[in-house]
Every structure is written in structure tokens, then in C-alpha cells.
Amino acid sequence: MNRVAIFPGSFDPFTRGHESIIRRALPMFDQIIVMIGYNSNKKPYYPLEKREEWINRVFKNDPKITVAKFEGLTIDFCKLVNAQYILRGLRTSADFEYERAIAQINKDMRPEIETIFLLTTPETTAISSTIVRDILLHKGDASQFLPSCIDISEFYED
Ligand code: ADP
């Protein structure tokens, strides 16, 4: 059976931290689907299509990684695409508490799905989409926190 994992998140924007988790998880799975979760009632910072385009660019040479957009519960998306695993990254103890609750609730609702956690590497632990957004909002240079092929300044020139 194909081992399919979902890596869900808002990726607003996608950072080197996200990229690192996916690349490290790659040998464990046959396919990883990066699921950009959205809520039509909430306005993100970067448009959904832009976020999708950026992530596709990062993994254009990795056929095992695909990108999808989904509005709804991650466990419902797992069912839709026949995925058995949810992949998440852990940076801090705060991440752990938050993720533990979600993973245990997901396990109650869909016992056949396992959530797999990878600890972040020390170099990426401090990176968060929120901090990156703040730097960019104030016209700072956040390039060292973003995958090398993502040039967010192009977004501001549009
Ligand atoms: P969410 O809103 O679901 O937390 P994010 O896009 O912020 O979505 O994060 C998606 C996943 O990536 C989460 O598991 C999060 O812990 C993980 N993640 C975020 N930043 C990093 C990082 N710097 N290093 C490793 N994992 C990270």
C-alpha cells in the first residue's frame, strides 16, 4: 500500500521551516500532499493561488510532493485522497500542547490515521510565518527564512 502523508497548514507564507520538515519526511512516505487549508470567511495575508504557486515552485523537481487546497477538516481531506498519515512539525512546547490536542481529537474521529511529528532542526526552530510576514510588512529582508526560489518581493511589485 502506498504511504501517503498530508502536510496541512496555512503556509502564509511557506517558509524554510516548512520546507525542511517536508524534505526530511520524504524518505518515509511514497507521497506527501501539502494541503493548504483555507477558510472562506478568513482573509489570509497572501492569496491562496500565490501560496500554491510558491510551494509548487519549491518542489517542482520532486514528483513525490504535490500541492492541494482544501476547505474543511484535515481528516476529511485524508479520506478524500486516501492518506493514512498527517505530518506536523514541532518547534516548541507550545506547539506540542496545541498539536497534541488536535492529534488526539483526530485519532478519536479517525483511528486509522496516524499523526507523525518531526522536531524542527535548530536552524529553523525560530522561523514562523507570522514573523516572516511582520518582516515583510515593514519592508525588511526575510529572504534567509524563505526557500531560495521564493522571491516574495515580486508579490509587492504586482
Ligand atoms: P497552522 O496554521 O496549521 O499551524 P502553519 O502553516 O503555520 O499552519 O504550519 C504548518 C505546519 O508546519 C505545522 O505543523 C507547524 O508546526 C509546522 N511549522 C511551522 N513553522 C515551522 C518551522 N519553522 N519548522 C518546522 N515546522 C514548522
Side-chain angles (χ1 to χ4, degrees), residues 24-25 43 81 112 116-117 138 149:
R24 286 169 55 214
K43 198 169 155 31
V81 297
E112 68 279 20
I116 310 286
F117 297 102
H138 295 100
C149 66

Side-chain angles (χ1 to χ4, degrees), residues 7-12 15 17-18 21 87-91 95 98-99 120 124-129:
F7 186 57
S10 33
F11 310 117
D12 195 21
T15 68
H18 298 128
I21 293 288
L87 173 66
R88 297 288 286 177
L90 289 181
R91 286 165 293 188
D95 270 0
Y98 174 74
E99 296 290 342
T120 57
T124 58
T125 295
I127 306 174
S128 72
S129 297

Side-chain angles (χ1 to χ4, degrees), residues 45-92:
Y45 194 75
Y46 295 105
L48 192 54
E49 283 66 31
K50 201 73 201 166
R51 282 177 278 154
E52 182 184 29
E53 181 192 316
W54 281 326
I55 304 171
N56 271 318
R57 201 182 298 166
V58 175
F59 299 116
K60 67 174 189 302
N61 297 321
D62 296 279
K64 285 166 68 178
I65 303 168
T66 52
V67 185
K69 302 170 285 212
F70 187 69
E71 180 166 28
L73 298 177
T74 304
I75 49 167
D76 289 339
F77 185 71
C78 288
K79 191 171 185 179
L80 193 72
V81 297
N82 257 318
Q84 313 93 322
Y85 303 99
I86 295 172
L87 173 66
R88 297 288 286 177
L90 289 181
R91 286 165 293 188
T92 59

Side-chain angles (χ1 to χ4, degrees), residues 84-143:
Q84 313 93 322
Y85 303 99
I86 295 172
L87 173 66
R88 297 288 286 177
L90 289 181
R91 286 165 293 188
T92 59
S93 51
D95 270 0
F96 171 76
E97 286 305 331
Y98 174 74
E99 296 290 342
R100 181 176 58 83
I102 295 176
Q104 289 176 336
I105 294 289
N106 281 341
K107 191 77 182 154
D108 283 342
M109 295 195 291
R110 290 286 308 277
E112 68 279 20
I113 295 173
E114 291 293 349
T115 303
I116 310 286
F117 297 102
L118 285 188
L119 286 180
T120 57
T121 58
E123 318 85 74
T124 58
T125 295
I127 306 174
S128 72
S129 297
T130 310
I131 295 178
V132 167
R133 275 201 306 271
D134 242 31
I135 297 171
L136 294 165
L137 185 68
H138 295 100
K139 303 196 172 12
D141 177 6
S143 54

